[in-house]
Amino acid sequence: MTATVRDIVAEWADDYLSFLDAIKAPTVYRGKPLTPQQEDVWDSVIENKRTACKSGNGTGKDWLAARIAVWYALVNGIKEPHEAIVLTSSPQEKHLKKVLWGEIRAVMANALAFTGGNLMPGECEWYADRIAFPKWYIKGIVANARRRVGSIEHAEVAFSCYSGANVMIIWDEACDIPDHIWEAVSPMISGPNHRLLAIGNPVKVTTGFYQCFSAPTYSHITLSSREAAGYGIQNVPGMATKEMVADLELEYGEGSGYVAAHVDGDFPESEA
């Protein structure tokens, strides 16, 4: 990696829009690659150790989480002593591999031109260089079963064995993260540059994710499908539309728990 490339990547720490431009993220709203809601989440990750983000459908949460993961790994790993660990997780192996890591692979297709490294075929792993930089990587862990399946690690042990000055944990579908995982990971987020992003639909009120929103140690953000639909984004598949919101209200009822969780990004009175 040349000094010029190192300088470019280092500048992304204070300018994530330049990072998104470099990896060819599409313009989605008023000439920017992020919606205002998504910018709020990214700014919170920069400013706070812990961010809890409850979201409706079609807000681009997986797209966003993947790009934050790669950005954190690159802007922190580029600095001496080249250490940055990002642990990405979902309760379901299929969601982790196909959805979240599908997005991470899409990012890396363009980011590798700047950073190099090894994106392991068929696996949820990227390493800058296993030998030269053994603590600079992004890894996927299934946050559910207490066992190893194939090459993917499971359980709280998989989280608690990672440490360093630059560690970020991203929990996708955070409402289904088991309590024992929350308890194991919480002490890990202690250093000044440690980060935790918990993001997902707020479908359950008996979870660690729900408790985040009354905890003063977390920054709290809500991504609403209604607001996302109001941006009128046409060039990103899966983004919320006014028709989608209307259809869900018709199917489940305007005041239903399902609409609260999957449209408004609010916890329902009972599980949705």
Side-chain angles (χ1 to χ4, degrees), residues 132-154:
F133 312 126
K135 298 189 75 172
W136 186 6
Y137 56 85
I138 308 171
K139 187 177 182 68
I141 300 172
V142 176
N144 199 337
R146 296 171 180 264
R147 66 186 189 281
R148 176 186 289 271
V149 176
S151 62
I152 296 182
E153 293 180 78
H154 291 251

Side-chain angles (χ1 to χ4, degrees), residues 40-250:
D40 288 344
V41 177
W42 209 312
D43 289 339
S44 178
V45 168
I46 291 173
E47 296 167 5
N48 302 281
K49 286 184 183 179
R50 298 175 177 86
T51 297
C53 176
K54 51 190 174 74
S55 174
N57 295 349
T59 62
K61 57 184 179 293
D62 297 303
W63 186 98
L64 179 65
R67 281 147 185 82
I68 290 175
V70 175
W71 168 82
Y72 180 94
L74 299 188
V75 301
N76 288 290
I78 203 68
K79 300 176 291 187
E80 296 284 352
H82 303 298
E83 294 183 0
I85 298 171
V86 180
L87 306 177
T88 61
S89 189
S90 174
Q92 300 299 325
E93 184 172 354
K94 183 177 180 180
H95 184 89
L96 178 70
K97 279 188 159 183
K98 301 295 185 183
V99 180
L100 184 57
W101 269 81
E103 292 289 353
I104 290 175
R105 288 181 177 279
V107 180
M108 279 300 186
N110 292 313
L112 288 178
F114 292 91
T115 63
N118 299 294
L119 191 58
M120 310 306 291
E123 305 296 342
C124 298
E125 294 182 31
W126 169 84
Y127 283 85
D129 186 315
R130 283 180 183 268
I131 304 301
F133 312 126
K135 298 189 75 172
W136 186 6
Y137 56 85
I138 308 171
K139 187 177 182 68
I141 300 172
V142 176
N144 199 337
R146 296 171 180 264
R147 66 186 189 281
R148 176 186 289 271
V149 176
S151 62
I152 296 182
E153 293 180 78
H154 291 251
E156 65 271 27
V157 174
F159 288 99
S160 59
C161 66
Y162 297 97
S163 62
N166 302 310
V167 177
M168 181 174 196
I169 295 171
I170 295 179
W171 282 340
D172 199 7
E173 302 298 330
C175 226
D176 288 322
I177 300 289
D179 287 346
H180 65 273
I181 301 292
W182 286 94
E183 293 166 3
V185 166
S186 185
M188 294 175 59
I189 309 301
S190 56
N193 205 38
H194 290 171
R195 293 294 184 270
L196 169 62
L197 171 61
I199 191 168
N201 295 122
V203 294
K204 300 176 182 178
V205 297
T206 56
T207 63
F209 188 50
Y210 175 77
Q211 294 171 9
C212 289
F213 291 89
S214 59
T217 52
Y218 281 83
S219 169
H220 309 135
I221 295 177
T222 300
L223 302 183
S224 161
S225 303
R226 298 181 198 278
E227 188 173 343
Y231 299 137
I233 297 168
Q234 302 294 325
N235 63 331
V236 180
M239 286 296 287
T241 64
K242 293 179 180 179
E243 291 75 19
M244 183 206 83
V245 171
D247 286 347
L248 290 177
E249 288 181 331
L250 183 63

